Amino acid sequence: AIFIIIGIVVAYRIQRLAVIISTSFCGAYGAVAAVGYFAGEYSNPWNLRETYDGESIGDDDDITVPKTWWAYFAATLILFGLGLHVQLNHTGAPHPEHAPKPQD
């Protein structure tokens, strides 16, 4: 419960940044997941333990992560960074009247 209160206070203080970060990540994840759905070999994030061989993986088993997963992961991070850049510098830039005033 304390983390919820802290989260609300932090989100209120950095509201613009929180919205930009969350929309950038959700957009990047959604775009890459959609491409992965149609292109194939996109790992299902809800049951990763059963994704690789269709069987349950124990705690002591070694897991080899496919190279396609790393490619989708890298694409998600790149799109996330691109979305952050565009929103922070162009579409979500603060209005000039809300910018801090220079001190004399």
Side-chain angles (χ1 to χ4, degrees), residues 15-31 76 79-84 86-88 91-92:
Q15 180 176 354
R16 176 181 163 271
L17 186 60
V19 168
I20 288 175
I21 289 172
S22 62
T23 57
S24 294
F25 180 76
C26 290
Y29 175 77
T76 302
L79 278 178
F80 175 58
L82 182 63
L84 278 176
V86 168
Q87 289 190 54
L88 287 172
T91 60

Side-chain angles (χ1 to χ4, degrees), residues 2 14 24 42-43 56 58 60-61 71 84 89 104:
I2 189 72
I14 58 170
S24 294
Y42 187 76
S43 298
S56 183
D60 296 333
D61 293 337
L84 278 176
N89 296 318
D104 294 331

Side-chain angles (χ1 to χ4, degrees), residues 32-51:
V32 173
V35 168
Y37 178 78
F38 289 109
E41 296 188 37
Y42 187 76
S43 298
N44 184 352
W46 308 119
N47 61 350
L48 286 176
R49 288 185 163 265
E50 297 175 3
T51 297

Side-chain angles (χ1 to χ4, degrees), residues 6-18:
I6 292 171
I8 289 171
V9 169
V10 169
Y12 181 74
R13 296 277 184 174
I14 58 170
Q15 180 176 354
R16 176 181 163 271
L17 186 60

